[in-house]
Amino acid sequence: MDPEAIAWRSPELGEGHELQLDGGVIGYFERGEGRPVVFVHGALVNANLWRKVVSGLAPKARCISLDLPLGAHLKAMERGADLSPLGLANLIADAIEKLGLEDVTLVGNDTGGALCQLVAAHRRERVGALVLTSCDAFENFPPKAVKPMMPLLKVPGSMGAMLAPLRIAGLRRRAATMMGLTKRPIPAEVSDANALPALKNSGVRRDARQVMVGMNKRYTLEASERFGEFDKPVLVAWSQEDRFFSPKYAKRLAEAFPKARLEWIDDAYTFSPEDQPERLAELIAELAQASSAAA
């Protein structure tokens, strides 16, 4: 496997850095100036998910895309690192704190959206606004389509077996469209950078398995009980045709936060940052500007 393909991160994300946190090192990418916007991806993808959104938003904001240990990262975390949903939410909050960021617009997709909900519930001090694109929420964590895999994931070595088909380049490059995550094919370099780290590195597979096994609706349900305490602006920007995350969860999220509004993303599946990045960048910019003016 080509090391450059494994490590590839889009130049659209900006300059890459590493950050030492409790439990290990994570990567992050930074581009632009202004109010900070922190992007959080989901399981088995990485910061590349946000490349086109960052490209559209960077002229108006300081865009920081985290490369979290969710299965497509480059460096395995230390053994014993807390990769439970709450542990990962703390990792995000710790990264924001260590970078000295304040009044952050926090943006999450897929698993990352669930983690952002936990940050809003438990570590919201530095968060000034929240954007939830199609993601796990309430009792839908993990999503219904993933639940049949959960018993298998408890078996040692199962993650390697599950990912083995992605060794075939043609399959991994069609995986997102075949699974209904995107309407349109993603570039080969993106699909390779998503799949190859776990295929190559047993430590990354270990992290991915730990993350997946830890998914449990009790975390998102407990977080939802505290949404009323989050008095900052919230944008729920949901893909209306999403196949993993029903629009009913978008409506429930918008009703649960005191200052939330719901916007539908047309012509997109779960990965709206891939399918409709311009629309998403526009909505994030509007929220950041409005919440900054109101501060």
Side-chain angles (χ1 to χ4, degrees), residues 4 68 117 178 185 218 294:
E4 291 188 6
L68 293 164
Q117 293 167 48
M178 290 169 61
R218 72 178 177 86

Side-chain angles (χ1 to χ4, degrees), residues 117-133:
Q117 293 167 48
L118 298 186
V119 174
H122 300 286
R123 297 279 304 274
R124 57 181 173 269
E125 296 81 8
R126 294 173 180 260
V127 179
L130 178 65
V131 180
L132 298 174
T133 67

Side-chain angles (χ1 to χ4, degrees), residues 220-249:
T220 40
L221 286 171
E222 287 173 359
S224 70
E225 294 174 1
R226 304 186 66 177
F227 288 167
E229 303 169 14
F230 189 82
D231 62 351
K232 305 296 178 64
V234 176
L235 168 67
V236 180
W238 213 266
S239 299
Q240 195 151 222
E241 299 176 66
D242 200 298
R243 296 181 175 185
F244 275 79
F245 304 109
S246 168
K248 70 181 181 181
Y249 293 109

Side-chain angles (χ1 to χ4, degrees), residues 48-70:
N48 284 325
L49 176 74
W50 301 106
R51 66 197 185 284
K52 293 186 282 187
V53 178
V54 168
S55 186
L57 191 61
K60 305 172 185 177
R62 180 185 175 188
C63 298
I64 297 163
S65 306
L66 302 180
D67 220 28
L68 293 164
L70 302 184

Side-chain angles (χ1 to χ4, degrees), residues 46-104:
N46 52 46
N48 284 325
L49 176 74
W50 301 106
R51 66 197 185 284
K52 293 186 282 187
V53 178
V54 168
S55 186
L57 191 61
K60 305 172 185 177
R62 180 185 175 188
C63 298
I64 297 163
S65 306
L66 302 180
D67 220 28
L68 293 164
L70 302 184
H73 52 299
L74 299 178
K75 290 187 177 181
M77 299 294 279
E78 299 168 6
R79 287 187 178 275
D82 184 359
L83 299 183
S84 68
L86 191 53
L88 289 165
N90 283 327
L91 198 71
I92 294 165
D94 289 346
I96 290 171
E97 183 175 346
K98 190 156 188 178
L99 291 170
L101 305 178
E102 300 279 358
D103 197 27
V104 165

Side-chain angles (χ1 to χ4, degrees), residues 176-255:
T177 49
M178 290 169 61
M179 294 173 65
L181 293 169
T182 62
K183 277 197 160 189
R184 301 156 188 85
I186 61 176
E189 59 268 24
V190 175
S191 60
D192 287 352
N194 285 340
L196 294 180
L199 290 173
K200 175 181 171 58
N201 188 320
S202 62
V204 171
R205 286 196 300 277
R206 181 192 70 229
D207 291 348
R209 177 171 173 262
Q210 187 176 342
V211 168
M212 298 287 285
V213 168
M215 293 179 183
N216 191 297
K217 64 183 179 182
R218 72 178 177 86
Y219 291 100
T220 40
L221 286 171
E222 287 173 359
S224 70
E225 294 174 1
R226 304 186 66 177
F227 288 167
E229 303 169 14
F230 189 82
D231 62 351
K232 305 296 178 64
V234 176
L235 168 67
V236 180
W238 213 266
S239 299
Q240 195 151 222
E241 299 176 66
D242 200 298
R243 296 181 175 185
F244 275 79
F245 304 109
S246 168
K248 70 181 181 181
Y249 293 109
K251 296 173 184 176
R252 285 176 64 185
L253 284 167
E255 291 169 356

